[in-house]
């Protein structure tokens, strides 16, 4: 059984700059690779994603390209840095656009996000990780994604200005590394279950 994972990095930096969030996301990817899960990472700041609550906001909007990749993925991971204790503005934008596609249906008439699992990765040098994770995970399950247990992994440094994940060698944090592993494997386990046993359509069809 082949699984595909899509990881959306909500860093405010484009791909020309090093991303602390992406560095932690790659810890999750290493476990995906061990289980032969095909992974692709997208830096959201590299794309022109228009504001809106729909699947396509018209000319120049590059969200439909990302949405097509979400449609073909079995696993979605949202990565976000923390700013003022919150998920990034780009992550919020992506969540709004994901929500905008939740009325689209699969062949059974369910949301296109049914039978997909999702998790979240958070980095920052202050608190807010659990708040941001709960916001992302609730939003995704509300849209139709399945959220397995323990699929949030995060690293935060001391309050105030200080070293971020890479500089602070966050990979040495046993708690964070264990959560990255648990998250990866729980996403894989549930993705396999849903791929072999689709959610029945009874009672959850989107009315046209």
């Amino acid at each position: 059984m082949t699984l595909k994972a899509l990881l959306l990095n909500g860093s405010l930096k484009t791909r020309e700059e090093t991303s602390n969030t992406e560095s932690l996301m790659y810890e999750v990817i290493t476990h995906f690779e061990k289980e032969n899960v095909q992974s692709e990472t997208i830096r959201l700041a590299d794309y022109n994603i228009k504001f809106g609550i729909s699947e396509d906001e018209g000319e120049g909007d590059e969200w439909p390209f990302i949405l097509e990749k979400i449609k073909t993925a079995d696993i979605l991971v949202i990565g976000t840095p923390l700013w003022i204790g919150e998920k990034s503005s780009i992550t919020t934008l992506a969540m709004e656009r994901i929500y905008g596609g939740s009325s689209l249906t699969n062949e059974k008439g369910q949301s296109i996000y049914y039978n997909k699992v999702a998790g979240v990765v958070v980095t920052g040098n202050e608190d807010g990780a659990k708040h941001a994770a709960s916001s992302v995970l609730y939003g995704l399950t509300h849209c139709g994604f399945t959220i397995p247990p323990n699929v949030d992994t995060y690293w935060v440094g001391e309050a105030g200005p200080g070293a971020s994940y890479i500089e602070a060698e966050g990979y040495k944090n046993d708690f964070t590394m264990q959560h990255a592993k648990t998250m990866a494997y729980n996403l894989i386990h549930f993705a396999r279950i849903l791929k072999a046993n689709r959610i029945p359509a009874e009672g959850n069809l989107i009315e046209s």
Side-chain angles (χ1 to χ4, degrees):
M1 180 186 297
T2 301
L3 295 178
K4 293 182 179 179
L6 179 66
L7 299 94
L8 303 181
N9 182 0
S11 170
L12 302 184
K13 305 170 184 174
T14 60
R15 60 174 172 262
E16 285 78 21
E17 299 180 81
T18 300
S19 164
N20 289 281
T21 302
E22 197 155 283
S23 182
L24 180 52
M25 294 171 80
Y26 275 112
E27 295 293 341
V28 178
I29 289 174
T30 59
H31 297 294
F32 285 163
E33 290 177 343
K34 291 175 185 176
E35 295 297 321
N36 297 315
V37 175
Q38 299 175 7
S39 299
E40 179 180 3
T41 302
I42 288 179
R43 190 82 69 95
L44 294 172
D46 290 335
Y47 293 85
N48 179 28
I49 302 172
K50 291 191 174 183
F51 296 102
I53 306 291
S54 75
E55 69 272 18
D56 190 341
E57 288 294 324
E59 184 178 357
D61 183 22
E62 294 182 311
W63 177 255
F65 169 78
I66 297 171
L67 181 59
E68 286 304 311
K69 290 185 176 293
I70 295 175
K71 288 179 181 179
T72 62
D74 304 293
I75 299 170
L76 177 68
V77 175
I78 303 289
T80 182
L82 292 170
W83 294 109
I84 323 176
E86 300 279 354
K87 63 184 181 295
S88 73
S89 57
I90 295 178
T91 302
T92 299
L93 176 58
M95 292 297 297
E96 290 170 347
R97 296 304 302 273
I98 288 171
Y99 176 71
S102 60
S103 62
L104 300 175
T105 58
N106 62 22
E107 68 282 357
K108 291 183 178 180
Q110 303 163 310
S111 167
I112 57 170
Y113 304 131
Y114 267 50
N115 304 303
K116 300 179 185 297
V117 299
V120 62
V121 170
V122 182
T123 61
N125 64 346
E126 295 193 52
D127 60 0
K130 291 182 179 179
H131 170 73
S134 64
S135 173
V136 170
L137 293 177
Y138 169 75
L140 292 173
T141 188
H142 182 73
C143 290
F145 289 88
T146 296
I147 309 300
N150 302 120
V151 287
D152 60 313
T153 188
Y154 63 89
W155 182 92
V156 289
E158 296 180 355
S164 295
Y165 174 79
I166 296 173
E167 183 183 354
E169 299 182 322
Y171 65 89
K172 293 182 179 179
N173 185 289
D174 291 340
F175 177 86
T176 300
M177 293 301 100
Q178 180 57 50
H179 268 251
K181 181 177 181 179
T182 299
M183 171 182 173
Y185 277 91
N186 283 357
L187 288 171
I188 294 167
H189 295 327
F190 276 74
R192 286 172 175 163
I193 290 170
L194 289 174
K195 194 149 190 173
N197 303 276
R198 316 299 276 180
I199 298 172
E202 182 179 2
N204 55 46
L205 300 181
I206 294 178
E207 301 295 333
S208 59

